[in-house]
Amino acid sequence: CAALADPRQPGLDDTCLEKLLDWFRSLTWFDQTVELVQDNPCLTELLTSVLALPDPSPSILAFTLQLAGILASSESRFQHLQQEKLLGRLFGQEGPRGSAAWEDASVRSAWVKGVHSMVHHQPALHFLCSTGDMEVIFTLQGDPSLFVASAASQLLVHMLTFSLESETTKALSTKDCDWPACAQMIVKHIEESLQSGSASHIEQSLKLLSSLFGSCFGSCYAAWTEVLWLDIAKQIESFLLEETVQAQPVLANLLLNVARSPVFCSTEGNFWTLVTSALEHLTPVQAGPLAVGLLKLCKCPQDVRIQALTVLLQPMDCILRAASQPLECAGLLDESVSDPVAVESLLSSKTSCAGLLCQTLAHLEKLLSLKHLRVDLPCVSLLHSLMTILQFCNGFLSPASPLGSTISRNLINCFRVQKSALDVLAALSEKKDCDTLLGSLFDVLLAYLQSPNTNPTVLKKTFQATSKWLVHLQELSSSNSQWQQTEKILEDVFVVLQKRLCSPCWEVRDSSLEFLTAMTKCLRDQKEFRQCLLSSEVLRLTENLLEDPESYVRASAVTAVGHLALITCFAPELPVIGNQYNKESIVAKLQEILSTDSEGFPRRAVISIFTKWLREGCTGQLADTEQFVSRVIQTVEHDLDWEVRLGGLELVEIFCSQTTCQLAQCPYAPVSSAVTSSTPQNELLRVFCRTKLFGFLFGSLCDCDKPVGQRACDVLVGLRAHFYPMSNLENPQEIEDSPAGRGVAWLQRTLRQGSLAQNFTMDGGDGVDFQDPESMMLALGAIDLLELHDELNKSSDHMEESPQSLLQDILAAVGTIEDNEVDCY
């Protein structure tokens, strides 16, 4: 404390002070007694010393204000600081508010935070109301620093809710004139601001009200929030009708937060009439967020819900009508909520057209992601509208109407709208009743896939939408004999895919491979997909991309080849396709990438594919699997990429689980102690030792990347639970007599030093043989893996975050004039 208050010392790093404040918060949170300040008078001396400085640094003054607020958070400590006459000098009129330091935003922010920490008891509220601090807080709502303004608004919300929570229910069931003095002051300030005619004051109060209702969800808030709403409802309604008021976006957010409040659980009343009025009078851009928020509410009246959906669909309806094509219906909607001219005007403007459509499409995507939407979406018309937008964007549609021509010019090559429309299109694939448009839909998607003008990012989105609709089409064809249409579409898709796999643009090659992988995952069991795949050049082209100059493409090619192998190499019901697609060839190529590729992404992809193959049982009988896993382990253990090593541990974990079940003849469950006779146990140990599994696991415990060590420890703990099911572990003191025991004792010591990786090779340490079953059985039983587990799960900076280390940092910092390089918070 003396060092902090010494003006001769250089300034401290702010992160150090923030850590110290966090430490005090934790201390005072669990101990509300006054002893902290009584037993440590240096704390109050620090506050006094800083106040006595003629020109304290902003960082130390800010720290002092926040510390004082934290200490004053309990009533007993508050009273103690009051007796010392400190709080008035810090937060009252004689405090820093009139000094030059107040010009620094960090000091104003700290003042607000200090007050916020302090307001957890009634004496603090009375103190603030009697010292003129309320006016300061009201002023700080409009502070030029957004951080200070936001903190002031949050403080007022806290003060209002706290002052009303502490009163009796009876007092709150009447008019707000019976409310506590602090609450009355805040409500009066809100009402005066709303009636002031000042745009900034109106916006500040609307934001305050929005935060207030947004934080008052419990039924305990119902009584007084209803009284407050009734006081301001007329003023809010007038704002909706006044075109001069510029706070409409804040109004929409306020109405949405009020709608979530428990006050309006009833679906009847004037509030919902006001919401209806807002949907009518706000501009389409302003009404969109309100509409989508209402549609997510459980308790919204059905007529308001339908109106909100209509607001969202108006731009899509306008698109359909502007296209002037012969449709089943002229548009999406029978009637509009607000004036359709407003939507048409926005879509006719080059500057607003894309913005309105992107916002609308984003809202529709949110709605389509909901599991339970309490209103029916006109999916067929919506799909038609999306197809129209996409055709406008690529110039494939020439509308006859003047409005359609204008919109088409505005949207041509608009990547933002294309991406948003394709996202919604993909989400619509989950819906039913769109079957009649499937032919036209795939015409639009194929046009985008074929066009050389399609932006690479848009192409990626088109691939994603196409794969989802292909799955939808496949589900239909299996039930209603649409296989001919499916086969034709798949043939067209594979023709395009062959072209895109040869693109000079690496992003396009990468997206094409991702699309192929997505299709393979979903459609690999479908006959039409396999036929189109095997009769195309896609397999050859994909394998060629394993040598692509771009590492991202090589990684995607590895993933695609790995999934395609489930069709070409590992599917027993398929005939042999050719030597170039046999299992040994594919495995050899991927193992070469794992051992020689200079970039991490392809190697990560290989280990991921090998893990998938192992999990799906594609690596053959036990002997084949042993050899496969052993080769992978010996390659991965030396990899410089920690994610590759981590992937190797996942592979080992699956191998251990599968082998344990296989040797115990228990294919569906872990081995229990009842079936672990000595023969399966010994054979299991021998398999693991032959595979060189233990050297990899114990070596990984000391990996310089902590996730690797943690995963290795998890695997070893699981193995020990199998080999020692009754927790009858070995006594380390009794095993050192044998050579194996001495090796295990060395291993235990080395692990404690955290230097195992430097003291042995994976083929065997200086004192332990990792391929000896007896030694490994002893090691699993004697080494305290749980202690290691706890050590590995400690944060890397647990020492640096301790209070002792923190205080040493502070003392070290003030003892030098050099830049302070304490650790980042």
Side-chain angles (χ1 to χ4, degrees), residues 69-70 72-74 78 112-128 134 137 155 158-160 162-163 182:
I70 292 168
S73 59
S74 83
F78 175 88
V112 175
K113 290 176 181 176
V115 171
H116 200 141
S117 299
M118 186 167 55
V119 180
H120 285 91
H121 45 82
Q122 285 297 319
L125 276 179
H126 297 318
F127 167 77
L128 292 171
M134 295 301 295
I137 300 169
L155 172 58
H158 170 69
M159 292 175 70
L160 181 58
F162 178 75
S163 64
C182 179

Side-chain angles (χ1 to χ4, degrees), residues 22-66:
D22 279 352
W23 181 38
F24 275 111
R25 283 190 190 96
S26 65
L27 283 176
T28 55
W29 178 263
F30 295 107
D31 183 3
Q32 298 287 312
T33 62
V34 73
E35 279 77 10
L36 177 65
V37 287
Q38 286 180 336
D39 296 346
N40 297 281
C42 61
L43 292 173
T44 50
E45 288 170 11
L46 169 64
L47 305 182
T48 305
S49 301
V50 172
L51 285 169
L53 294 175
D55 187 22
S57 71
S59 61
I60 292 297
L61 181 55
F63 168 80
T64 305
L65 289 166
Q66 290 194 71

Side-chain angles (χ1 to χ4, degrees), residues 472-778:
H472 180 85
L473 179 65
Q474 194 66 48
E475 291 170 353
L476 286 176
S477 65
S478 61
S479 60
N480 58 13
S481 302
Q482 285 190 332
W483 63 270
Q484 287 183 325
Q485 182 188 20
T486 302
E487 194 169 24
K488 175 65 172 68
I489 290 171
L490 281 171
E491 287 173 357
D492 292 340
V493 166
F494 272 100
V495 170
V496 174
L497 188 57
Q498 288 174 171
K499 175 186 172 185
R500 292 299 191 178
L501 287 171
C502 301
S503 171
C505 176
W506 74 263
E507 291 95 341
V508 171
R509 300 195 301 276
D510 192 54
S511 298
S512 304
L513 289 165
E514 289 177 350
F515 170 60
L516 176 60
T517 300
M519 278 201 303
T520 306
K521 284 180 180 179
C522 300
L523 303 176
R524 78 185 202 198
D525 295 329
Q526 303 300 325
K527 182 179 70 173
E528 295 88 357
F529 173 76
R530 293 199 301 254
Q531 287 175 343
C532 290
L533 170 68
L534 298 177
S535 61
S536 72
E537 291 292 306
V538 165
L539 286 171
R540 180 183 61 80
L541 294 171
T542 302
E543 198 169 333
N544 289 344
L545 290 176
L546 291 172
E547 300 174 5
D548 195 274
E550 177 55 55
S551 64
Y552 291 110
V553 178
R554 295 199 301 278
S556 296
V558 166
T559 305
V561 165
H563 283 85
L564 289 169
L566 299 174
I567 296 175
T568 60
C569 303
F570 299 119
E573 71 277 7
L574 289 176
V576 176
I577 300 162
N579 291 333
Q580 70 271 35
Y581 302 124
N582 64 43
K583 179 173 67 174
E584 290 74 17
S585 171
I586 295 296
V587 172
K589 285 185 178 181
L590 296 192
Q591 284 182 329
E592 182 182 2
I593 291 172
L594 183 62
S595 59
T596 63
D597 200 294
S598 60
E599 297 287 338
F601 298 112
R603 302 199 307 274
R604 291 178 200 169
V606 171
I607 196 66
S608 178
I609 284 298
F610 283 170
T611 302
K612 179 177 178 61
W613 286 354
L614 184 64
R615 186 180 285 114
E616 296 200 10
C618 298
T619 54
Q621 300 302 313
L622 184 57
D624 294 337
T625 306
E626 275 184 47
Q627 190 178 18
F628 171 75
V629 171
S630 183
R631 279 203 305 266
V632 173
I633 286 175
Q634 292 173 71
T635 304
V636 163
E637 66 188 11
H638 302 298
D639 201 290
L640 296 177
D641 190 314
W642 71 269
E643 291 193 45
V644 176
R645 301 195 299 276
L646 190 67
L649 289 167
E650 185 181 355
L651 182 88
V652 165
E653 190 170 25
I654 294 168
F655 173 69
C656 291
S657 175
Q658 290 183 346
T659 309
T660 301
C661 288
Q662 192 171 349
L663 289 178
Q665 299 179 340
C666 175
Y668 301 113
V671 178
S672 67
S673 58
V675 296
T676 54
S677 64
S678 59
T679 302
Q681 292 284 68
N682 294 338
E683 177 58 24
L684 192 59
L685 266 177
R686 283 194 292 270
V687 168
F688 291 165
C689 288
R690 282 199 304 268
T691 315
K692 301 186 178 180
L693 182 148
F694 286 110
F696 179 46
L697 288 173
F698 281 111
S700 297
L701 285 176
C702 293
D703 196 286
C704 56
D705 288 287
K706 182 170 287 190
V708 177
Q710 291 170 326
R711 189 63 175 266
C713 195
D714 290 338
V715 177
L716 285 166
V717 169
L719 286 176
R720 186 177 68 174
H722 171 75
F723 287 107
Y724 293 90
M726 306 305 293
S727 298
N728 50 336
L729 304 182
E730 304 286 353
N731 185 342
Q733 301 301 322
E734 297 176 359
I735 66 173
E736 290 203 30
D737 295 335
S738 66
R742 287 191 293 274
V744 170
W746 169 86
L747 182 58
Q748 173 92 310
R749 290 192 303 273
T750 312
L751 284 171
R752 283 179 174 159
Q753 295 165 3
S755 58
L756 181 62
Q758 288 77 42
N759 280 279
F760 84 113
T761 64
M762 298 299 178
D763 295 326
D766 292 342
V768 65
D769 184 356
F770 291 104
Q771 293 176 252
D772 174 41
E774 181 188 358
S775 296
M776 291 302 97
M777 189 70 179
L778 285 173

